[in-house]
Structures are given as C-alpha cells and as structure tokens.
Amino acid sequence: MASTPAEYIQHHLQNLTYGKLPAGYERADGSVLDQATWTIAQTGLEARDMGFMAFHLDTLGWSLLMGAIFILLFRSAAKSATTGVPGKLQNFVEMCVEFVEGVVKDTFHGRNALIAPLALTIFVWVFLMNSLKWIPVDYIPGLASLLGLPAFKIVPTADPNGTFGLSLGVFILILFYSVKVKGFGGFSKELAFTPFNHWSLVPFNLFLEILGLLTKPLSLALRLFGNMYAGEVVFILIALLPFYVQWTLNVPWAIFHILVIPLQAFIFMVLTVVYLSSAHEEHH
Amino acid sequence: MNINLTLFGQTLAFAIFVWFCMKLVWPPITAAMAARQKKIAEGLDAAGRAQQDLKLAQDKVSNTLRETKEQAAQIIEQANKHANAIIEEAKQQARVEGERLVAGARAEIEQEVNRARDQLRNQVAALAVAGAEKILESQVDAKVHNELVEKLASQL
C-alpha cells in the first residue's frame, strides 16, 4: 500500500491495467519475462510500458456495469410500459425520455431515429458513470486491494480512455452523417470551400475545417475527463486529511457534485446533438 | 492516464448500448407515451361531449316536466268539469225522480179521493134510499128503483 501522500494519490489515479509486456521486460518484482506476456500491471510504470496494447479493466468493467444498469432499468420500464397510469419506474423513465426528447427537438431539426436514443444513452450512461464519484474514494479501491489487485479506479469518465471512447463514437457518427447527408463530394467541398469560397484558399480552408472537425470529439472528451479527473483529485486530496476534518470539505464537495455530475452528462449530450445537427445541415 | 485499447472497448460498448436503446428502449416508451397522450385527448373529448349531453338531457328533462305539468293541469280541469257534469246530472235525476214521486202521490191522493167520493156516494144513495123508504113507508124495490137511485147518487 501507498505510504506517502504522493504515492497515495498516484495509486488512486492508477487504473487496473491488463496488457502485454514485451519479452525481456524486467518486472517490478525483479523477474525478467522470457517472452511477451499478457498480464496485470503491478505498478504504474508497468502499465505505462504496456503501451497501447492494454485494457483498463476497471474502466471497462464499471462502465459496462453502469451501462447494464441503464439498459436493464430502462428496458424493464419499456417492457411493462402502459398507456394507463404509469408506475414509479415508468414515470421516472418517461421523465428522462421526455427531457431528452425536448432537448433533441430544440436542437436537432432533421429526422433521424438514432439521435434521440443516442442522446438518452449518453445522458444516462455518463450520469451513472460520473455518479460513481459519490462513492468515497477509498471504499472500492480498498476492497480491491484486499482482493490483491494492485490498483483500482472506479470512475470511468475520469479515465481519458472512457471519455475518448465515447467521443470517438460520436466522431464516427459525425463523419458518417456528414457523408450520408451531403455525399462524399459535398462533404469534401464543404471542408475545402468554407469559410472562404475561393480556390486559392482551399488549403487554408481545409486546415481550418479539419481542425474544427477534430476539435469536436477532443473538446467533448477533454471537457468531461477534465471535470471528472479534477474532481477526483480533489476528493483524493481531501481523503489525505485527518479523518475527523474530512467531512468539512468532503461533504460540500460532494454536494457541489450534485450540480457537476448531471451538468457534465447534460453538456456531453447537448454537444453531441449539436455536432450531429450541424453534420446534417448544409453550410452556405 | 495511458491511452490504450480501452478506448475501443469503450466505443464498442457505447455502440452496443446505443443500439440497444434505439431498438428496445426508446420505441416502446415513446409509443406508450404517445398512446397515453391520445387516450387523454380522447378522454377530454369524451368529457366535453358528455357535458354537452348532460346539458341536452337537462333541457329535455325540464321540457318534459313542463309538459307533464300542463297535462296534469288539463286532466285536473277535465276531472273538475266531469265532476260538475255528474253533479248536474244527479241533480236533474233527483228533480225528475222527485217530480215522479210527487205525481205518483198526487195520483194516489186523487184515487183515494175518488174512492172516498164513491163510498160517500154509495152511502148517500143508501141513505137516500133508506130515507125514501122511511118517507114512503113502503118497500122500494131496490132493483126497480136502482136506476133512479144511481141517477141520484151520480148527481151528488
């Protein structure tokens, strides 16, 4: 276990990584691998050395769990959906659906059966993943270390892989609908001839537009990640204080997150809808 | 903080959840909501119509009530008329009966009087005959003088 504050913080920000270590790699315990091995990283350094060929088991596991909760909850409400007097669960689910539908209707003016369910999934799923922050920082990682796991981080949105994974999906959809609606030529033309409609400025336009295009998923992912990560760090810092004063900072910070957590989920959803809406619209 | 395959895992999970939501969550819920909306609209409609119906029914009821009252008044009037007629008829009958009784009595009285007169006449005839016998001191043959006596008696 970590002993110094720096180690404690680093330990809490380390994901449980399962990845491939190359042959001849000297592991943290001094042993040397005679061939490339898939294994769980014992230290942050090992996790870093795994490079791209690695999975964050905790991020994947918790995000899948949250997604499953979302799906099961909403599916059970959808299955027993009645046109009569709705039950409590159905009421709640309908409230969410109505809220998302309202946002989508205000922002997105095309006809697309995907956008609203997409927005609902993003909103609820991101909200659930964010809400894992309310669990005190040491509870689940502590439990995990009792089980012998070297590191554990439960908030998937405080892992850039989690948020970039989402925004990558959104980015693919932006590209897909841009091409689908405007055609490949139309989309290319839009990239090449806006904002300055002159052939001599095509390279400049391309640079500007592609940068703008790439900024969309980047800003989506980084906004969510930054907020969640920073909040997480503050929670960890508070956890370093003596236990009898922690509540004076912990409680206000958690209450503040009643605002932050839904807000970030909402922003992610709205921006997704806005980006997809602009992918559907012709620029003039 | 390393970017790795988690990225694609997350994207894949995202795609699956969105697909699931689009296929199995969103349509039933929005369908149920739309159906309920329709049901509520229909209910409100029906309520409006029912209110109209109620108003019509109330109008009808008050109309019927008025008609019934009029009819009742008519019936009462007729009954009164009828009663009066019956009373008149009874009075008439009573008068006729009375007159008949009076006429009967009168006839009887007349009969009595005639009978009494006949008796008296007979007695007077007998008395006259007796008187005449006494006067004549002779036997008057009743059979012979009967005509005479009768004539006398009828003059009484």
Side-chain angles (χ1 to χ4, degrees):
Chain A
M1 275 299 290
S3 47
T4 70
E7 277 173 6
Y8 178 83
I9 292 169
Q10 283 212 318
H11 181 252
H12 271 80
L13 294 176
Q14 177 60 45
N15 283 101
L16 178 64
T17 315
Y18 177 79
K20 189 179 172 190
L21 287 172
Y25 183 81
E26 192 188 339
R27 300 206 59 175
D29 57 3
S31 62
V32 177
L33 296 169
D34 47 359
Q35 56 184 346
T37 318
W38 282 88
T39 182
I40 288 175
Q42 294 300 316
T43 61
L45 183 67
E46 277 189 11
R48 213 166 15 255
D49 288 339
M50 283 169 177
F52 193 73
M53 297 304 280
F55 292 102
H56 288 163
L57 296 181
D58 42 7
T59 297
L60 284 173
W62 283 99
S63 60
L64 284 177
L65 181 68
M66 291 300 120
I69 289 173
F70 156 65
I71 284 299
L72 291 178
L73 203 68
F74 277 59
R75 177 61 188 157
S76 73
K79 257 202 296 206
S80 58
T82 161
T83 56
V85 181
K88 275 180 187 153
L89 176 65
Q90 198 189 338
N91 229 338
F92 166 74
V93 167
E94 281 183 7
M95 219 172 71
C96 295
V97 167
E98 225 160 30
F99 169 67
V100 171
E101 208 175 22
V103 171
V104 171
K105 265 192 189 138
D106 285 345
T107 318
F108 186 82
H109 300 296
R111 285 178 63 82
N112 191 328
L114 174 73
I115 303 296
L118 173 80
L120 179 70
T121 308
I122 288 176
F123 181 61
V124 180
W125 193 25
V126 171
F127 175 81
L128 285 173
M129 289 195 288
N130 287 353
S131 65
L132 287 170
K133 262 173 87 167
W134 277 317
I135 300 173
V137 283
D138 269 327
Y139 275 22
I140 290 171
L143 213 64
S145 76
L146 282 181
L147 291 172
L149 298 173
F152 210 76
K153 198 173 144 193
I154 63 168
V155 185
T157 45
D159 176 357
N161 288 293
T163 60
F164 273 109
L166 283 173
S167 70
L168 180 65
V170 174
F171 184 58
I172 291 168
L173 285 175
I174 291 173
L175 291 181
F176 174 74
Y177 282 116
S178 293
V179 171
K180 192 186 168 198
V181 172
K182 300 157 195 165
F184 193 75
F187 184 46
S188 312
K189 218 168 125 188
E190 184 185 305
L191 290 182
F193 289 100
T194 46
F196 303 110
N197 192 2
H198 192 271
W199 61 267
S200 63
L201 285 167
V202 164
F204 180 68
N205 285 338
L206 270 177
F207 171 72
L208 217 61
E209 284 291 297
I210 288 173
L211 196 69
L213 201 63
L214 292 174
T215 310
K216 285 173 179 177
L218 208 68
S219 73
L220 263 184
L222 284 180
R223 179 180 299 106
L224 182 58
F225 163 69
N227 273 286
M228 293 302 116
Y229 188 77
E232 189 78 350
V233 169
V234 172
F235 270 122
I236 294 166
L237 288 176
I238 291 168
L240 285 169
L241 295 171
F243 73 91
Y244 47 86
V245 290
Q246 279 182 20
W247 65 273
T248 54
L249 294 167
N250 218 341
V251 170
W253 192 237
I255 290 171
F256 177 59
H257 275 76
I258 292 175
L259 182 68
V260 171
I261 285 171
L263 186 68
Q264 288 305 321
F266 177 72
I267 289 173
F268 202 107
M269 173 187 79
V270 169
L271 285 179
T272 301
V273 176
V274 168
Y275 292 157
L276 285 174
S277 165
S278 76
H280 278 72
E281 278 160 15
E282 306 272 355
H283 290 265
H284 298 291
Chain B
M1 283 272 262
N2 317 306
I3 294 288
N4 53 33
L5 285 175
T6 313
L7 187 70
F8 298 123
Q10 192 80 1
T11 308
L12 187 68
F14 178 47
I16 291 168
F17 289 140
V18 169
W19 176 83
F20 191 94
C21 179
M22 190 172 91
K23 289 288 167 200
L24 295 170
V25 173
W26 190 267
I29 291 174
T30 46
M33 281 161 69
R36 184 173 324 115
Q37 220 165 20
K38 207 176 136 206
K39 217 160 134 184
I40 289 170
E42 278 168 2
L44 288 175
D45 230 39
R49 252 178 295 137
Q51 228 158 17
Q52 194 111 21
D53 285 354
L54 179 66
K55 204 167 163 272
L56 286 178
Q58 272 172 346
D59 284 356
K60 207 167 147 188
V61 164
S62 62
N63 269 346
T64 314
L65 204 65
R66 213 186 49 240
E67 275 171 23
T68 311
K69 269 183 187 162
E70 277 172 11
Q71 272 178 355
Q74 265 178 0
I75 289 170
I76 288 170
E77 207 181 329
Q78 272 178 356
N80 277 340
K81 260 188 208 161
H82 198 61
N84 283 340
I86 288 172
I87 288 169
E88 275 311 304
E89 208 181 272
K91 270 184 189 166
Q92 193 71 27
Q93 270 179 357
R95 200 176 295 128
V96 169
E97 181 74 11
E99 276 170 7
R100 202 174 55 79
L101 284 177
V102 169
R106 212 167 266 158
E108 215 170 315
I109 288 167
E110 213 165 320
Q111 248 178 352
E112 283 298 313
V113 168
N114 284 344
R115 199 182 303 140
R117 200 179 276 159
D118 282 350
Q119 258 178 357
L120 199 60
R121 201 181 286 145
N122 289 340
Q123 281 172 359
V124 168
L127 261 176
V129 170
E133 267 175 4
K134 285 242 168 93
I135 295 162
L136 296 172
E137 289 286 2
S138 60
Q139 277 274 306
V140 179
D141 191 356
K143 274 174 193 157
V144 176
H145 297 101
N146 206 18
E147 202 182 328
L148 184 80
V149 173
E150 284 273 315
K151 210 188 224 174
L152 193 73
S154 72
Q155 280 172 354
L156 282 169

